[in-house]
Amino acid sequence: MMNGVSASAAGPSSGSGDRSNSKRPKYSRFTQQELPACKPILTPLWVISLFTLVGIIFIPIGLASLLASNDVVEIVDRYETACVPPSMINDNVGYIQNPAISKACARVLKVPKDMDKPIYVYYQLDNFYQNHRRYVKSRNDKQLRDASKAYETSGCDPEKTTVDGTPIVPCGLIAWSLFNDTYSFTHGNGESLIVNKKDISWKSDRDHKFGSDVYPKNFQNGSLIGGGKLDSKKPLSKQEDLIVWMRTAALPTFRKLYGRIEVDLKENDIITVMLENNYNTYSFGGKKKLVLSTTTWLGGKNDFLGIAYLSVGGLCFFLATAFTVLYLVTPRKLGDPSFLSWNINSGIQ
């Protein structure tokens, strides 16, 4: 009896103590997710209709994307092996590192279809890992933007200063490895095709990342030359080949814009390309390709987007058909939605 009295007497006080020490938040409909909400029930009709709608939308987009991609006319010419002299075919590295050997090379291209202007000229590199962590970090953005920060070379190892400690502008491996093959084009009738190299870089890069008062200093003056040289009389914001190159690629195979040919080319036209095969890709087994391409409303040639849309749309149509057949062959009676938990709770309130 005493135990019962003691327990009943202690009950209220211990309960109030538990409530005062509890970390449970104050009750509200928001924290308990009891606010009015749309809670759809996925009936067979809804599921079949949704898959069918996605298929109806995605398949036309996929077809339009593939048609646009097929309208792009591309000429791709791999030249790094063809431009090696026969006597040096077994010593590619010796050929590219010997300044006494001419790097001039002529290539002949045939236009497969009419190419409407502008025709974009790209260089493509394979097996070049611009996304390597140490390579990507080897630059100093403050130095590139501001002439007063020329001595800011942190992060530019191993190309930060000369032997006597003078800072290199622009410093870092990205700038040091600047692509330096050059191309000139001649039409079959002997007319020279001018390559417009203006505005080939992003405007935001020219205006905000590369200073108009920053000029190259001590660039490629060391004993080991990595790539192209820069004009010391032009600010970095005007050296668009460098700006394009320093926007690093995410994949080991990439294309970068070299310029634009702003005349139309007709089917079966012959284009002679005189190029300087200066860039060393032989040391790491890389490949070099010259690409001429037109564009459409979707951009350059890219079948992946169209195939992806068609695949998703086709899969949705297949699932819609499968669910329809399954529903017709073995129909299943739906449960009463009024017995769902949220409907019961709303009825009680």
Side-chain angles (χ1 to χ4, degrees):
M1 184 65 178
M2 286 296 291
N3 290 341
V5 172
S6 301
S8 62
S13 60
S14 64
S16 60
D18 290 343
R19 284 196 297 273
S20 62
N21 295 328
S22 174
K23 295 182 180 180
R24 184 174 62 184
K26 184 180 178 181
Y27 170 81
S28 72
R29 298 184 68 188
F30 176 76
T31 58
Q32 297 303 315
Q33 300 184 15
E34 293 178 356
L35 292 174
C38 177
K39 299 174 181 176
I41 302 171
L42 295 178
T43 63
L45 181 60
W46 268 103
V47 173
I48 292 169
S49 301
L50 184 62
F51 277 125
T52 303
L53 180 63
V54 172
I56 291 173
I57 294 173
F58 273 45
I59 286 180
I61 295 176
L63 290 174
S65 300
L66 274 181
L67 290 174
S69 179
N70 289 334
D71 286 339
V72 174
V73 183
E74 254 190 13
I75 304 174
V76 181
D77 180 54
R78 178 183 172 186
Y79 63 87
E80 90 283 346
T81 53
C83 288
V84 178
S87 59
M88 301 289 292
I89 198 68
N90 294 322
D91 187 14
N92 294 336
V93 176
Y95 152 75
I96 200 69
Q97 292 180 345
N98 188 343
I101 301 176
S102 173
K103 304 303 188 294
C105 181
R107 304 290 292 164
V108 177
L109 309 177
K110 185 176 181 180
V111 179
K113 296 180 182 178
D114 290 351
M115 302 180 73
D116 297 330
K117 63 181 180 182
I119 300 167
Y120 293 89
V121 181
Y122 302 90
Y123 56 88
Q124 176 176 320
L125 295 180
D126 294 2
N127 200 36
F128 191 110
Y129 288 83
Q130 269 199 321
N131 58 353
H132 191 283
R133 180 174 175 272
R134 290 188 63 188
Y135 184 89
V136 171
K137 293 180 66 177
S138 187
R139 61 186 291 167
N140 189 291
D141 290 325
K142 292 181 180 179
Q143 185 199 63
L144 297 173
R145 281 195 304 265
D146 190 350
S148 64
K149 302 291 179 64
Y151 285 86
E152 289 276 355
T153 58
S154 59
C156 287
D157 292 329
E159 291 294 321
K160 57 191 302 184
T161 59
T162 59
V163 177
D164 59 1
T166 308
I168 299 172
V169 182
C171 65
L173 285 175
I174 306 177
W176 175 78
S177 60
L178 174 64
F179 186 80
N180 62 339
D181 284 6
T182 61
Y183 313 102
S184 61
F185 301 86
T186 306
H187 201 276
N189 56 15
E191 178 185 357
S192 179
L193 299 175
I194 304 300
V195 179
N196 182 3
K197 298 177 71 68
K198 184 176 175 57
D199 295 337
I200 61 174
S201 60
W202 289 23
K203 186 176 186 300
S204 59
D205 288 354
R206 297 194 301 269
D207 294 344
H208 304 295
K209 292 189 175 182
F210 294 82
S212 58
D213 60 346
V214 182
Y215 292 83
K217 297 176 184 176
N218 304 310
F219 187 70
Q220 302 288 24
N221 286 346
S223 58
L224 185 61
I225 305 300
K229 296 181 180 293
L230 297 174
D231 187 347
S232 61
K233 298 180 180 179
K234 289 176 62 177
L236 296 186
S237 61
K238 300 294 184 182
Q239 310 220 29
E240 296 200 50
D241 284 329
L242 173 70
I243 298 174
V244 171
W245 178 256
M246 293 198 68
R247 181 164 283 277
T248 53
L251 299 174
T253 296
F254 58 86
R255 293 179 181 179
K256 291 185 181 288
L257 185 60
Y258 181 83
R260 296 182 299 272
I261 297 174
E262 296 181 335
V263 296
D264 295 337
L265 297 178
K266 300 300 181 183
E267 184 177 356
N268 295 324
D269 280 356
I270 302 299
I271 307 298
T272 302
V273 185
M274 293 300 300
L275 61 89
E276 287 288 331
N277 184 31
N278 298 313
Y279 201 68
N280 182 9
T281 57
Y282 306 103
S283 297
F284 55 88
K287 301 175 184 177
K288 294 189 288 187
K289 297 175 184 177
L290 171 64
V291 181
L292 275 64
S293 175
T294 59
T295 58
T296 63
W297 60 270
L298 196 61
K301 193 173 187 63
N302 184 4
D303 292 338
F304 173 78
L305 189 63
I307 293 172
Y309 270 106
L310 285 176
S311 300
V312 174
L315 178 62
C316 288
F317 265 134
F318 170 77
L319 291 175
T321 304
F323 287 152
T324 302
V325 172
L326 186 64
Y327 181 66
L328 293 177
V329 173
T330 57
R332 181 180 177 184
K333 185 179 179 181
L334 290 176
D336 188 350
S338 63
F339 288 100
L340 293 171
S341 60
W342 54 84
N343 290 334
I344 293 175
N345 293 336
S346 61
I348 293 174
Q349 293 174 358

